[in-house]
Amino acid sequence: MKITVDHLRREFGQTIAVDDVSFQFESGQIFGFVGPNGAGKTTTMRIMATLDEPTAGDVRLDNLSVVEDPDRARHLIGFVPDELRAYWDTTVNDYIDFFARAYGLKGAHREEAVNSVEEFTNVAGIADKQLRVLSKGMKQRVSLARALVGDPEILILDEPAAGLDPRARIELRELLSLLADQGKAIFISSHILAELTEICHGAVIIEQGRILEAGETGEMLAKREQKLTYALRSMSNPDELMRDLLQMPHIDHPRQAGNEFLFEVEGSEENAFELLNLLIQKNHRIIEFRQTKTNLEDIFMNITEGKVQ
Amino acid sequence: MSETTDPSGRLRRFQYFDANPVWVKDLRQAARNWTVTGTLLLMLAVFYFIALGAMIFGETDSGASSYVGPGIYSAIGITTLIAAYIFIPIYVGIRTLMERISINADLQYITTMTPQQIIRGKILSSTYLIILFYSAAVPFLVFSYLLRGIDLPTILLSVVLTFLLNVLLTMGAILLALSPLHIIMKILLALFAGGNAIFFAIWFVIGAVASNTISRLFGMGSFWNETVPLIITFVLDAILIAGLLYQTAVAFITPTSANRSKPLRIYVTFFCGMVVLQFYLWAWFTNEEALILPVIFIIPCLVILGFLFSIAGRDDLSLRVQRDIPSSPFSRFIGFFFFNGTLSCLIWLLGLWIATAFSLLIFNVLWNEFQTSSLISDLDDIYLPYVAPSIFVLYCFAYALLGLWLQRTFLPKRTPKLASLFFALLMLLPFLFLIIVYFVFTQEMIDDDWVIPGMVPNVFMVMGNYPEADRNYGLWVHFGSSIFMIGIALLLNSKWIISQIKQFKPLQRSVDRPTEEPDSGDDNILPPIIDRG
């Protein structure tokens, strides 16, 4: 199934939340949706999930229009919101069972479906617990189970990793990879770009309601092949090193990431060698200088020119 | 196809019949909620102590035991009323409100459940709760029969009466919780309108039981000619109002992109027809002409309320609505009045009043022809039943159009709810301004016999003004000025009106896109996690 977002626009009074947004992805792919707060990610996702209506444009699931036929589109979509504000007196099993009923599953099939998603998302052990006592990570699993119980073709996840501990993040990542392997199209927004890099086949980068870049990660990287990213670790004064890096030729977007400096070098590796020489001549005490793999974070920083936090 | 013809197929479908999901969820939640269990147990404890007290103290007073029935019946009845009339609507209202403002409402709406299913589930679960409370009370009420003084038909009828009112109150709470109002407005309305409705319902039921109205119903001279029609009318009215509350609640939760006006407008048209018919029938068969008066009060009130809400809606038609617009000119003309759209709603509402006035005219002619008394046979009598309500409706139509023009012209990017605010302000502010200015300059209130064209509150003054000739003159002035104001408002809105009419056409597609059939529910029974391992 191909999901096509076509010139989507959403106005709230005088505010344009989403402006001419277009991209596409398909079954078996995980697509990341990247952008700062207020960029229009949630609005776009709500429109895709039939929860909101665009001012203009459309979202098509193959040839089925989400705007014209939301009732039919809902059979194909599962939506996981950023937070599960749970019913205060419902158990995990009752919650998932309710949505199974709501999706029209009946009798023994419903029971089987509920049990299987509980097992898949690893919430079977807490099925009798009330939702209010669950941790954030567990709630996120329940939320995923709820979205999966209707067997959607497309899964839309709005900031599912926010507030999760590292273990829960890794588990979520594994679950999503499994679902993509099963042929589901997954669209996921996140602030944590490193998370997305490892699982995403492609990304959509949005800022102030407009698409900055969209496509498969490979294509995006290919566009930037003429620039290589390097990491540098030094015992010199960081401010002085940054000042010198900014004055060096062939360097783009130098930035500090922990105890490292990251930057892109235009042209061939010859330029990188020249740069290292210059730094040593300026008496910087370099202890590590290595080429890194360009990831989604680099692409994002590159596209937004590091202005967006 | 085979399932519909094959009896085993039908049986299989019956086997897979499932209760409404919202019903199941709400009842599961209620079973786990300590407030429901606590209130029910508290109510039973109170019943127990009332019964115990009646038994102990009733027996000490020899000879009085045979009259304990009414006392214990009232005590148990009032306890039930307090528990069921206050607790259940508040509980259901709060739950629905909490659900509505959380992401869970969204999650329900993106399932394959329809808004109708969701509302039906809410109503079913709240009705089940009411039945639960009443089932606890009925044994105690019947116990009062054993103590003499209250007969079983009275008990049965009063329970049915209180149950129906209880269901209506709870549906009202659901409607308020789902209404597109700010939460503070909802709370205020719940406190004032809801509180008054509960108080009125309790007062009505207690009054009916205490004054032996229900007992007297059974003792009427002609049970079949008087008692039964009264009971049927009450039950049918309750069903009609329940239908109105249901349709409105469904419209509230249906996305604005759907043609949510259609079922609501069809039902309201039916509702108005039934209300009018009911009063005509009662007036005709009891030969009481005063029974037509509620018609000229209820319908204009509904129409004016409709004006207020309709102008707060959106003007543009969504793709979903455009797709459903009929292509044949006649169906399109009829469809215009029942599809989304502010102009169509205003005209439909005005049409409701014109149809009511016309039906009144026909009824009037038939009455004068076939009844022994005469209804309105003189031109001088037409003012109160025909002209005065028409003036209110016409003025409000004009103000609605003016409010609409102000919002759409000067604040088009702001919420259309402002048009409703302008409508209300235009009706009241000029009159208040005039009173204040007049008072400041003359230190006196304006005279009662003044006719001030263009101001609705002045119509009330004119209606209370005698002699009749002056009153009639004043009403004609207001009638003329309302028509004049409508003319001005139509002129100001002419562009908008043309655009509203022009946009009402079937969806034109440049290229016909094939549409994909989604998976049916039956194929959708097992998640791929199972299928694909």
Side-chain angles (χ1 to χ4, degrees):
Chain A
M1 172 172 285
K2 186 179 268 184
I3 297 93
T4 310
V5 176
D6 190 10
H7 299 289
L8 214 60
R9 184 181 172 86
R10 180 68 169 105
E11 295 170 7
F12 294 103
Q14 285 162 320
T15 310
I16 301 166
V18 175
D19 188 9
D20 199 27
V21 165
S22 299
F23 58 89
Q24 59 182 40
F25 59 101
E26 54 193 49
S27 295
Q29 286 189 325
I30 301 178
F31 247 63
F33 200 22
V34 184
N37 288 333
K41 296 193 298 288
T42 301
T43 306
T44 308
M45 290 181 132
R46 283 177 62 82
I47 293 170
M48 291 170 75
T50 75
L51 287 170
D52 198 0
E53 200 193 351
T55 311
D58 201 351
V59 178
R60 286 194 303 279
L61 315 177
D62 279 344
N63 289 312
L64 181 71
S65 163
V66 163
V67 178
E68 275 190 57
D69 258 329
D71 298 334
R72 292 164 77 195
R74 277 173 199 147
H75 287 264
L76 307 170
I77 299 167
F79 178 61
V80 180
D82 57 342
E83 198 186 344
L84 183 72
R85 270 161 264 166
Y87 301 118
W88 66 79
D89 40 23
T90 304
T91 63
V92 170
N93 192 65
D94 285 354
Y95 185 72
I96 299 169
D97 177 73
F98 164 60
F99 281 97
R101 286 168 188 269
Y103 278 111
L105 304 186
K106 290 177 181 175
H109 297 303
R110 182 181 66 237
E111 212 171 304
E112 208 172 336
V114 170
N115 290 338
S116 75
V117 289
E118 282 179 357
E119 274 170 31
F120 180 75
T121 52
N122 205 11
V123 294
I126 52 160
D128 292 328
K129 282 199 173 179
Q130 295 211 352
L131 288 171
R132 63 181 162 190
V133 302
L134 300 184
S135 66
K136 168 95 183 166
M138 280 300 174
K139 276 185 182 167
Q140 208 55 266
R141 283 169 175 278
V142 174
S143 194
L144 187 63
R146 179 202 53 72
L148 287 173
V149 81
D151 186 17
E153 296 274 328
I154 305 142
L155 204 55
I156 299 168
L157 302 102
D158 189 7
E159 301 281 356
L164 296 188
D165 59 40
R167 177 189 286 270
R169 274 185 208 160
I170 292 165
E171 285 170 352
L172 179 71
R173 221 160 53 197
E174 285 169 358
L175 282 179
L176 294 179
S177 294
L178 265 174
L179 288 167
D181 291 343
Q182 288 180 359
K184 294 197 186 300
I186 298 172
F187 192 58
I188 174 174
S189 76
S190 180
H191 281 113
I192 306 156
L193 303 179
E195 296 280 335
L196 295 179
T197 302
E198 291 186 31
I199 55 168
C200 283
H201 300 99
V204 178
I205 299 172
I206 187 170
E207 191 186 0
Q208 293 178 344
R210 286 182 155 272
I211 293 283
L212 298 180
E213 187 138 353
E216 293 190 14
T217 320
E219 289 170 9
M220 286 181 168
L221 292 175
K223 280 186 194 170
R224 287 168 181 75
E225 262 180 1
Q226 63 271 36
K227 287 183 185 176
L228 297 167
T229 305
Y230 287 86
L232 182 148
R233 207 146 59 86
S234 155
M235 291 169 70
S236 310
N237 182 313
D239 294 335
E240 281 177 22
L241 181 59
M242 179 58 97
R243 193 187 60 221
D244 288 339
L245 281 172
L246 285 166
Q247 289 168 356
M248 296 284 171
H250 314 300
I251 276 194
D252 266 343
H253 309 119
R255 56 198 182 272
Q256 197 167 357
N259 60 352
E260 284 185 340
F261 281 87
L262 297 172
F263 49 86
E264 285 144 27
V265 179
E266 286 174 14
S268 65
E269 290 180 336
E270 199 62 39
N271 289 340
F273 176 71
E274 195 183 318
L275 170 78
L276 182 62
N277 259 336
L278 282 169
L279 287 172
I280 291 167
Q281 280 169 22
K282 286 188 177 263
N283 294 325
H284 285 294
R285 299 194 294 169
I286 310 292
I287 53 172
E288 192 179 349
F289 186 82
R290 67 177 198 281
Q291 203 182 87
T292 64
K293 194 180 161 192
T294 307
N295 60 23
L296 205 55
E297 193 166 3
D298 297 319
I299 297 171
F300 180 69
M301 292 305 285
N302 190 275
I303 289 168
T304 58
E305 295 178 337
K307 286 176 194 164
V308 180
Q309 294 302 313
Chain B
M1 200 60 187
S2 62
E3 272 196 49
T4 51
T5 50
D6 177 19
S8 65
R10 258 181 263 145
L11 266 178
R12 213 175 305 125
R13 279 174 66 181
F14 181 73
Q15 180 198 341
Y16 286 118
F17 166 78
D18 244 355
N20 183 303
V22 177
W23 184 20
V24 176
K25 174 191 77 73
D26 280 4
L27 287 182
R28 278 177 175 167
Q29 285 177 309
R32 286 206 177 84
N33 194 294
W34 64 268
T35 52
V36 177
T37 323
T39 311
L40 195 60
L41 286 175
L42 185 68
M43 193 181 81
L44 281 169
V46 172
F47 288 166
Y48 176 73
F49 286 115
I50 289 170
L52 196 68
M55 293 296 288
I56 294 168
F57 297 110
E59 289 216 352
T60 53
D61 185 5
S62 60
S65 58
S66 58
Y67 303 107
V68 167
I72 194 170
Y73 181 82
S74 305
I76 290 170
I78 290 169
T79 312
T80 313
L81 285 181
I82 290 171
Y85 274 38
I86 297 175
F87 172 72
I88 296 176
I90 290 176
Y91 170 78
V92 172
I94 289 176
R95 283 217 87 111
T96 312
L97 183 69
M98 297 302 288
E99 226 168 73
R100 181 72 175 156
I101 56 177
S102 80
I103 190 79
N104 286 305
D106 281 350
L107 296 180
Q108 280 185 33
Y109 301 141
I110 57 166
T111 64
T112 48
M113 275 194 299
T114 60
Q116 287 85 347
Q117 253 183 306
I118 294 172
I119 297 298
R120 273 202 300 272
K122 288 268 159 222
I123 294 168
L124 277 172
S125 59
S126 57
T127 306
Y128 191 90
L129 275 184
I130 297 169
I131 290 172
L132 185 72
F133 273 65
Y134 278 62
S135 66
V138 165
F140 287 90
L141 291 174
V142 174
F143 171 70
S144 64
Y145 162 73
L146 299 174
L147 299 172
R148 310 270 175 139
I150 300 278
D151 56 298
L152 281 176
T154 302
I155 292 171
L156 178 73
L157 191 62
S158 61
V159 167
V160 170
L161 180 91
T162 48
F163 173 76
L164 285 175
L165 278 176
N166 214 160
V167 172
L168 290 180
L169 280 177
T170 314
M171 286 179 76
I174 294 172
L175 181 73
L176 185 63
L178 295 174
S179 62
L181 297 169
H182 193 274
I183 189 160
I184 293 171
M185 195 66 190
K186 285 182 188 178
I187 292 168
L188 287 174
L189 271 173
L191 287 174
F192 293 105
N196 274 323
I198 289 171
F199 175 77
F200 171 76
I202 292 176
W203 172 81
F204 177 74
V205 173
I206 290 175
V209 176
S211 64
N212 293 324
T213 308
I214 294 174
S215 305
R216 278 208 300 272
L217 272 176
F218 291 104
M220 274 184 171
S222 175
F223 178 77
W224 292 107
N225 287 342
E226 292 178 41
T227 310
V228 172
L230 258 180
I231 294 170
I232 289 174
T233 306
F234 180 81
V235 172
L236 286 181
D237 279 352
I239 294 170
L240 264 183
I241 295 169
L244 185 66
L245 294 171
Y246 167 75
Q247 289 292 354
T248 314
V250 168
F252 280 161
I253 65 163
T254 304
T256 49
S257 61
N259 188 15
R260 59 186 188 171
S261 301
K262 193 177 173 183
L264 185 62
R265 287 190 203 173
I266 289 172
Y267 187 81
V268 172
T269 309
F270 168 76
F271 178 86
C272 291
M274 287 294 110
V275 167
V276 168
L277 183 69
Q278 145 180 211
F279 284 109
Y280 287 169
L281 286 175
W282 272 101
W284 187 273
F285 288 108
T286 57
N287 204 15
E288 291 274 354
E289 56 262 53
L291 282 174
I292 64 155
L293 289 177
V295 171
I296 57 173
F297 175 74
I298 293 172
I299 305 295
C301 283
L302 270 176
V303 168
I304 291 166
L305 207 63
F307 286 152
L308 185 73
F309 282 105
S310 66
I311 55 173
R314 55 189 273 182
D315 289 339
D316 59 311
L317 295 179
S318 69
L319 282 173
R320 291 171 74 185
V321 176
Q322 284 180 49
R323 200 184 52 185
D324 293 341
I325 294 174
S327 49
S328 90
F330 179 72
S331 307
R332 211 158 111 196
F333 173 75
I334 300 293
F336 179 74
F337 301 104
F338 293 96
F339 271 58
N340 286 0
T342 312
L343 178 69
S344 65
C345 189
L346 289 175
I347 298 174
W348 164 73
L349 286 165
L350 193 63
L352 275 185
W353 170 244
I354 292 169
T356 308
F358 192 65
S359 73
L360 187 60
L361 190 70
I362 294 171
F363 182 76
N364 199 346
V365 171
L366 290 173
W367 182 285
N368 291 341
E369 189 70 28
F370 296 106
Q371 292 281 31
T372 47
S373 61
S374 67
L375 191 58
I376 300 159
S377 53
D378 195 335
L379 264 183
D380 284 343
D381 295 333
I382 67 163
Y383 291 94
L384 287 182
Y386 290 101
V387 180
S390 299
I391 289 171
F392 283 110
V393 171
L394 291 174
Y395 263 139
C396 289
F397 183 66
Y399 284 127
L401 283 172
L402 288 173
L404 198 76
W405 175 72
L406 284 174
Q407 193 272 323
R408 304 299 197 263
T409 311
F410 299 106
L411 299 162
K413 292 274 184 186
R414 300 274 177 185
T415 169
K417 285 176 187 166
L418 281 174
S420 297
L421 181 69
F422 290 142
F423 169 38
L425 291 179
L426 281 171
M427 282 215 300
L428 298 172
L429 277 189
F431 188 68
L432 286 175
F433 179 74
L434 184 77
I435 290 177
I436 292 165
V437 169
Y438 188 80
F439 184 78
V440 167
F441 284 106
T442 64
Q443 303 295 306
E444 284 177 12
M445 294 301 287
I446 57 172
D447 290 339
D448 286 349
D449 56 355
W450 274 25
V451 177
I452 314 165
M455 295 195 184
V456 183
N458 182 247
V459 183
F460 289 107
M461 291 166 65
V462 171
M463 280 168 69
N465 188 18
Y466 288 92
E468 252 179 44
D470 288 349
R471 184 199 67 190
N472 295 349
Y473 165 75
L475 288 178
W476 278 122
V477 169
H478 275 295
F479 189 81
S481 72
S482 66
I483 298 285
F484 176 73
M485 280 177 67
I486 289 173
I488 298 285
L490 286 174
L491 268 179
L492 289 172
N493 282 298
S494 52
K495 260 188 182 174
W496 175 80
I497 290 168
I498 291 166
S499 72
Q500 286 271 290
I501 295 169
K502 270 188 176 173
Q503 75 163 350
F504 194 76
K505 58 184 179 192
L507 185 64
Q508 305 284 327
R509 290 176 198 276
S510 50
V511 181
D512 274 337
R513 281 201 310 262
T515 52
E516 183 183 279
E517 284 299 320
D519 292 343
S520 70
D522 291 340
D523 298 336
N524 202 16
I525 44 185
L526 289 177
I529 299 151
I530 298 169
D531 293 345
R532 299 166 203 170

